[in-house]
Amino acid sequence: MNSRIQIGETEPKAYQAIFGLESYLQQSGLKKVHYKLIKIRASQINGCAFCIDMHTKEALTLGETKERLFLLNAWKEAGMFTEEEKVILQMTEEVTKIEEQGLTEATYQRAISIFDAPYFSQIIIAIATINVWNRVAISTHMPVPQ
């Protein structure tokens, strides 16, 4: 793969702004397991090898199981995700593929029946943030560490 401009080097203030969202999310009430599932699932959808590699390794260090990670792209059929996680994964898919239908009313209603307004908002910000990272990494061909 050809080398490309690395935005973190040419525009460090932009990178710091994205890291600001990460910092906010780390201080929020969003559960780490929820954030890792969001990051991995969105990265799978977007095809971001760099982010899939990074976030699956991080999830494993947090105690996530290999089995759940192996089945994450088939979460609807896997039967090993909680109701909360299923809603979060559905939200992740719908917001990541926003051009298809966006966050549907059915998913929104399901989400707000489970999560309070701040937690719902944190989920949306988390989905948006990983999508920003995916687009930067894919566009600039960030290499997967060997």
Side-chain angles (χ1 to χ4, degrees):
M1 198 174 303
N2 294 337
S3 178
R4 291 194 174 182
I5 293 169
Q6 295 302 299
I7 295 170
E9 295 169 13
T10 61
E11 292 295 326
K13 288 182 182 178
Y15 247 46
Q16 288 307 311
I18 306 169
F19 277 120
L21 288 170
E22 288 290 343
S23 179
Y24 156 76
L25 289 164
Q26 292 298 321
Q27 302 304 314
S28 75
L30 189 63
K31 294 178 186 175
K32 289 183 194 271
V33 67
H34 289 168
Y35 195 24
K36 293 303 172 197
L37 292 174
I38 290 167
K39 285 182 171 189
I40 297 165
R41 186 66 193 119
S43 298
Q44 288 174 334
I45 293 165
N46 291 323
C48 185
F50 181 87
C51 292
I52 294 168
D53 179 69
M54 178 193 318
H55 300 305
T56 54
K57 288 175 181 172
E58 290 170 348
L60 289 169
T61 65
L62 290 173
E64 185 58 80
T65 67
K66 290 179 183 178
E67 291 77 16
R68 282 173 34 108
L69 293 176
F70 294 154
L71 291 170
L72 186 55
N73 65 341
W75 65 269
K76 291 176 187 174
E77 294 81 25
M80 55 180 34
F81 296 94
T82 68
E83 193 61 29
E84 282 184 351
E85 292 167 342
K86 289 177 184 177
V87 173
I88 288 169
L89 291 167
Q90 187 67 40
M91 290 174 67
T92 301
E93 291 187 3
E94 291 180 7
V95 173
T96 298
K97 300 176 189 179
I98 197 120
E99 78 286 355
E100 289 183 7
Q101 59 188 355
L103 184 62
T104 64
E105 187 64 24
T107 301
Y108 173 79
Q109 290 299 327
R110 204 164 141 221
I112 64 170
S113 75
I114 295 172
F115 305 113
D116 62 16
Y119 205 82
F120 172 86
S121 300
Q122 292 163 14
I123 293 167
I124 296 294
I125 296 300
I127 297 166
T129 301
I130 189 57
N131 274 283
V132 169
W133 283 124
N134 287 167
R135 280 147 180 77
V136 169
I138 293 167
S139 299
T140 61
H141 294 175
M142 288 181 73
V144 176
Q146 299 298 316

